[in-house]
Amino acid sequence: MYIENKGDYIEVRCNKYLSDEEIYKFLDKIKDKFQKIEKKELVFGKEGKITQKDYEKLKEIINFLINKYSKKMNLYPSKISFREKNTSWGSCTYKNHIIFNLKLVSLPVELIEYVVVHELAHIKEKNHSKKFWKIVEKYLPDYKDKIKKIRKIEKVIR
């Protein structure tokens, strides 16, 4: 197993036969060597498996954030679904159906929050125009920092 503190996240690389439980047990043993490792901050590589428990937790977080920001932004998705994608964290269709990537489970909640706000903003603006980014910035003034963090993590898990 290979573990490296990348600052914003912990990178764990191992073979596909090692279970999440075994990884967490090992990290619990060595957590004093890293600064406050929390499970939500772990980033699993492509070989990592998304369990039903992970999916349920992700669904709970997404639903909470959708409810919170839909009310603030007055933007409501027609439908929410999840699937494993390789190229994006989320998407919004012309019918306002938001699809979230299951790999979001490997991101800290603050970055999942950014993805939620980003996709909700697409309900109003279906592109990445200046108007779109103004909507995102209104609700997440530090969105550029969050994008930088996501790009770092993408290098590891994609």
Side-chain angles (χ1 to χ4, degrees):
M1 185 183 311
Y2 171 79
I3 300 168
E4 185 178 349
N5 186 342
K6 296 284 194 174
D8 295 330
Y9 61 93
I10 302 297
E11 179 179 319
V12 178
R13 284 191 254 161
C14 58
N15 70 42
K16 62 184 174 185
Y17 303 107
L18 205 57
S19 71
D20 290 355
E21 187 177 323
E22 291 170 302
I23 294 168
Y24 287 131
K25 279 183 186 176
F26 179 76
L27 289 171
D28 281 341
K29 288 180 187 176
I30 64 158
K31 69 182 172 190
D32 294 336
K33 293 181 182 180
F34 294 101
Q35 295 177 355
K36 297 183 182 178
I37 296 174
E38 293 183 33
K39 291 179 184 179
K40 70 179 181 185
E41 294 175 34
L42 298 175
V43 177
F44 290 91
K46 291 180 182 178
E47 308 255 286
K49 295 176 189 155
I50 298 167
T51 65
Q52 184 64 31
K53 187 177 177 183
D54 293 331
Y55 170 68
E56 293 301 326
K57 184 66 178 172
L58 177 62
K59 216 166 116 178
E60 184 182 313
I61 291 167
I62 294 282
N63 285 332
F64 172 79
L65 292 169
I66 287 283
N67 288 331
K68 175 182 175 180
Y69 283 100
S70 285
K71 288 174 187 169
K72 284 183 178 185
M73 299 169 78
N74 198 28
L75 298 170
Y76 298 88
S78 60
K79 183 179 175 184
I80 298 169
S81 61
F82 299 84
R83 74 172 76 134
E84 196 161 342
K85 304 168 86 176
N86 289 321
T87 57
S88 67
W89 294 106
S91 59
C92 180
T93 70
Y94 275 91
K95 293 184 178 182
N96 301 330
H97 171 194
I98 297 179
I99 303 155
F100 291 103
N101 189 338
L102 286 169
K103 290 179 184 176
L104 284 168
V105 75
S106 63
L107 296 184
V109 173
E110 69 168 302
L111 300 182
I112 296 171
E113 178 181 45
Y114 161 74
V115 174
V116 167
V117 170
H118 182 109
E119 297 310 328
L120 285 172
H122 277 308
I123 291 173
K124 191 166 188 173
E125 290 293 324
K126 300 292 187 199
N127 53 50
H128 290 114
S129 65
K130 286 182 181 179
K131 284 183 184 179
F132 169 83
W133 291 112
K134 287 287 181 201
I135 295 168
V136 173
E137 186 175 37
K138 181 177 178 181
Y139 298 97
L140 290 177
D142 64 340
Y143 79 93
K144 289 179 183 176
D145 292 332
K146 293 179 192 287
I147 291 172
K148 286 178 187 175
K149 288 178 183 180
I150 286 176
R151 296 298 174 247
K152 282 183 185 178
I153 293 171
E154 284 175 343
K155 291 177 183 176
V156 176
I157 66 173
R158 285 194 177 153

